[in-house]
Amino acid sequence: MWETGGALKAHHFFAVGLSKKAHLEYDADHEGFERRHGVTHAKLVRDQWRAREITPGPWMTAGMIPKRESWFNRVLDRVLADGMSGYERAMFGS
């Protein structure tokens, strides 16, 4: 599933697979895209993690330089705090 290695960067954990059309729509208007489709980037990331059975934890930052780990943890906190449902809080912690 997830493999560690030189090519894996911190921001890869927050990437979301979208179709080309959806990606262009999102790039053109982030807030409008989220409003029209009733999602947030954070929710899309969490849905993707759930589908891949990924549970956030210290393993995600193993071997990162401190500056990158600090950035990663700030983004992770925002992703986990953004409008989580009761189910998501139970699954990902909060």
Side-chain angles (χ1 to χ4, degrees):
M1 187 164 307
W2 283 96
E3 296 179 13
T4 59
L8 186 61
K9 305 288 188 244
H11 64 273
H12 292 160
F13 287 107
F14 304 109
V16 175
L18 296 173
S19 69
K20 179 71 170 179
K21 181 181 175 185
H23 188 96
L24 292 173
E25 181 186 351
Y26 185 75
D27 279 351
D29 181 12
H30 291 217
E31 292 176 7
F33 179 92
E34 292 177 350
R35 190 174 47 255
R36 282 188 300 279
H37 297 284
V39 299
T40 63
H41 183 254
K43 182 171 182 350
L44 291 171
V45 169
R46 291 192 308 266
D47 288 349
Q48 190 164 262
W49 288 350
R50 184 181 308 110
R52 294 181 175 159
E53 299 179 352
I54 295 171
T55 303
W59 66 270
M60 295 174 116
T61 57
M64 283 186 190
I65 61 171
K67 182 178 178 181
R68 183 166 285 151
E69 182 177 359
S70 176
W71 172 88
F72 181 88
N73 285 324
R74 283 194 311 274
V75 175
L76 181 61
D77 287 345
R78 284 196 311 247
V79 166
L80 294 178
D82 179 42
M84 287 189 0
S85 67
Y87 171 79
E88 287 176 316
R89 279 192 296 280
M91 182 166 181
F92 295 121
S94 172

